[in-house]
Amino acid sequence: SDHNLVYPISPSNMDWSPYFPHFVEPSTTGANKEVEVEQQEPSADLQAVAASEESATNTGDIRRLTKDVEVADIGCGFGGLLVALAPKLPNALMLGMEIRMQVAEYVQERIKALRVQRADDGLYQNAACLRANSMKFLPNFFKKAQLSKIFLCFPDPHFKARKHKARIVSTTLNSEYAYVVRPGGVVYTITDVEDLHLWMVEHFDKHPSFERVSEQDQEADQCVEVMRMETEEGMKVTRNNGQKFVALFRRLEDPPW
Ligand code: SAM
């Protein structure tokens, strides 16, 4: 359940400094960040809107980073992809988003331990995990065209037709992914459920902002191997001799007005 999830009212209100302390700009200090806590009561929503209108411009005290998060692993689970990818893309800040509190905390502890182990060379400082419902708050965290990669690895299949609206690929959500991914950026998908694979391909294919990446380019991309072999779900499917269906989608340039 998502009540009490904390999320920023806009990307400029997000204080990333606790997540990526090594990337904090030396000159920025202070901690007057504005966040909202999602409540169940509808009246609280109205109060939150009012609060956001008052505080929208009050972002001066947030400790800024030297660079923006550019990779998101949506539904990151136990963090296998993040941990494998962080040393391969050491200059890219990557964020796992995970809705289950204990799982998100596990990944945070896992990264903390790796950072301590690798204090000498600074590895893993570029990876972090945040507890969030990515289906609801993505544009609160990322501004337009901020991301170069989104990973959707082994998303929950929600087999029954009446549960399809819970899938993390849909016409509406694909528009959110199109908003936060920059032209030339890529959405990576992998699943062991063929029906879900076909669903994801269908929904990205029909979205005007995306085109399918060719199989040749897909197989040349080092992230694909990581997705297949280093995610916890990918390892489980390997153990069970299951199939893995991969599809990548490139964010197209927006057409001129
Ligand atoms: N990506 C990981 C992997 O490949 O090993 C985990 C896959 S697991 C089957 C799906 C994960 O997505 C679960 O950990 C689940 O809690 C998380 N999840 C489901 N809906 C989510 C949402 N709306 N926002 C964030 N995480 C979500």
Side-chain angles (χ1 to χ4, degrees):
S1 119
D2 344 297
H3 17 283
N4 298 328
L5 278 180
V6 176
Y7 61 97
I9 57 171
S10 77
S12 59
N13 285 276
M14 179 63 196
D15 186 353
W16 291 108
S17 61
Y19 296 89
F20 300 101
H22 273 216
F23 290 88
V24 172
E25 260 186 23
S27 57
T28 61
T29 52
N32 191 18
K33 57 186 181 274
E34 300 294 339
V35 294
E36 288 176 8
V37 177
E38 196 191 16
Q39 306 277 350
Q40 264 183 308
E41 303 77 22
S43 61
D45 280 351
L46 292 176
Q47 286 165 17
V49 170
S52 84
E53 283 170 358
E54 271 172 34
S55 59
T57 55
N58 185 15
T59 60
D61 291 337
I62 290 178
R63 299 168 72 208
R64 299 284 164 202
L65 301 185
T66 52
K67 51 171 66 179
D68 287 335
V69 173
E70 62 163 292
V71 176
D73 181 10
I74 290 184
C76 69
F78 295 96
L81 180 102
L82 284 176
V83 163
L85 214 53
K88 291 189 192 295
L89 303 173
N91 297 317
L93 298 193
M94 50 188 73
L95 183 75
M97 303 182 97
E98 171 54 52
I99 198 167
R100 287 181 291 167
M101 190 184 326
Q102 280 161 343
V103 177
E105 283 172 3
Y106 167 85
V107 179
Q108 287 163 357
E109 290 303 316
R110 187 177 177 185
I111 291 170
K112 202 156 105 185
L114 286 166
R115 286 177 177 180
V116 171
Q117 271 175 36
R118 300 303 292 258
D120 288 352
D121 53 17
L123 281 187
Y124 304 104
Q125 294 292 341
N126 60 323
C129 178
L130 179 131
R131 182 175 175 235
N133 180 349
S134 67
M135 292 175 78
K136 288 175 102 173
F137 305 125
L138 218 50
N140 290 69
F141 290 100
F142 307 120
K143 58 188 188 229
K144 185 174 163 61
Q146 180 172 334
L147 300 180
S148 63
K149 300 178 197 302
I150 287 184
F151 289 92
L152 306 173
C153 298
F154 300 96
D156 295 326
H158 298 294
F159 288 106
K160 293 190 180 126
R162 69 185 165 77
K163 296 286 261 171
H164 283 176
K165 58 182 183 302
R167 287 181 165 173
I168 63 167
V169 164
S170 67
T171 306
T172 313
L173 288 170
N174 286 5
S175 291
E176 288 199 1
Y177 303 142
Y179 178 79
V180 295
V181 174
R182 66 184 70 143
V186 174
V187 177
Y188 295 74
T189 73
I190 184 167
T191 175
D192 56 333
V193 177
E194 187 170 19
D195 171 58
L196 177 62
H197 167 68
L198 296 173
W199 165 282
M200 294 196 286
V201 170
E202 179 198 327
H203 282 79
F204 276 107
D205 271 351
K206 74 178 180 204
H207 197 288
S209 300
F210 291 99
E211 68 174 6
R212 180 105 184 241
V213 171
S214 72
E215 203 175 332
Q216 197 182 357
D217 288 357
Q218 173 183 304
E219 295 310 313
D221 188 323
Q222 62 166 346
C223 299
V224 170
E225 192 62 6
V226 175
M227 199 164 68
R228 280 202 185 102
M229 306 310 290
E230 309 280 356
T231 53
E232 278 74 13
E233 283 298 317
M235 293 189 235
K236 201 195 282 180
V237 177
T238 303
R239 284 197 296 276
N240 297 334
N241 292 317
Q243 269 188 290
K244 297 174 199 174
F245 302 93
V246 172
L248 275 48
F249 304 92
R250 188 176 295 110
R251 172 69 162 94
L252 298 165
E253 294 283 347
D254 290 323
W257 287 102

